[in-house]
Amino acid sequence: MDVEPGLAEAAQLFKVLGSESRLGLLRLIGQQPHTVGALAEATGMSQPLVSQHLRTLRQAGLATPSRSGKEVTYHLTDLHVSHVIADALAHVREPAANDLADQASSPSEQKESA
């Protein structure tokens, strides 16, 4: 079977994005660059765990470090990633909003719309 070019790479990207912790880190550095210490403080994760996740994100080409003296700050490599994450969040939040609207409508309104 011929596979569309880029599918394997996209699947690998989704594997990296499959961690709630890494998604949270990407959201933070997508808003503004952060140091490892600031990311650890913001997320409640240990500094070694943040560093481990950042290494994975760097290897995937999603996060880029910038050094200024002894301080290393991380930022998103590509803004497409923030759009993918934002779209995923909108997707998972959408049914919850629809469910609330359905619960708020009366049973007779639900029958009419069915």
Side-chain angles (χ1 to χ4, degrees):
M1 178 175 119
D2 288 337
V3 177
E4 184 177 341
L7 281 181
E9 294 83 356
Q12 185 60 40
L13 170 67
F14 282 111
K15 285 181 185 178
V16 173
L17 295 177
S19 162
E20 184 178 342
S21 296
R22 286 192 289 269
L23 283 176
L25 292 171
L26 287 168
R27 292 281 287 177
L28 288 169
I29 65 174
Q31 294 167 357
Q32 68 181 38
H34 284 75
T35 63
V36 174
L39 289 168
E41 187 176 320
T43 61
M45 289 189 274
S46 69
Q47 194 162 335
L49 183 56
V50 169
S51 293
Q52 181 180 358
H53 284 304
L54 288 170
R55 181 176 56 247
T56 300
L57 295 171
R58 279 194 326 266
Q59 289 171 343
L62 301 176
T64 302
S66 298
R67 182 176 293 276
S68 176
K70 291 184 178 183
E71 189 173 81
V72 178
T73 304
Y74 288 85
H75 62 274
L76 277 183
T77 302
D78 185 349
L79 290 180
H80 287 105
V81 175
S82 65
H83 295 295
V84 169
I85 296 168
D87 285 347
L89 288 171
H91 174 73
V92 298
R93 290 174 180 158
E94 195 171 74
N98 289 339
D99 290 345
L100 290 175
D102 288 345
Q103 290 173 2
S105 64
S106 70
S108 61
E109 289 174 336
Q110 290 176 2
K111 287 180 186 176
E112 289 174 11
S113 64

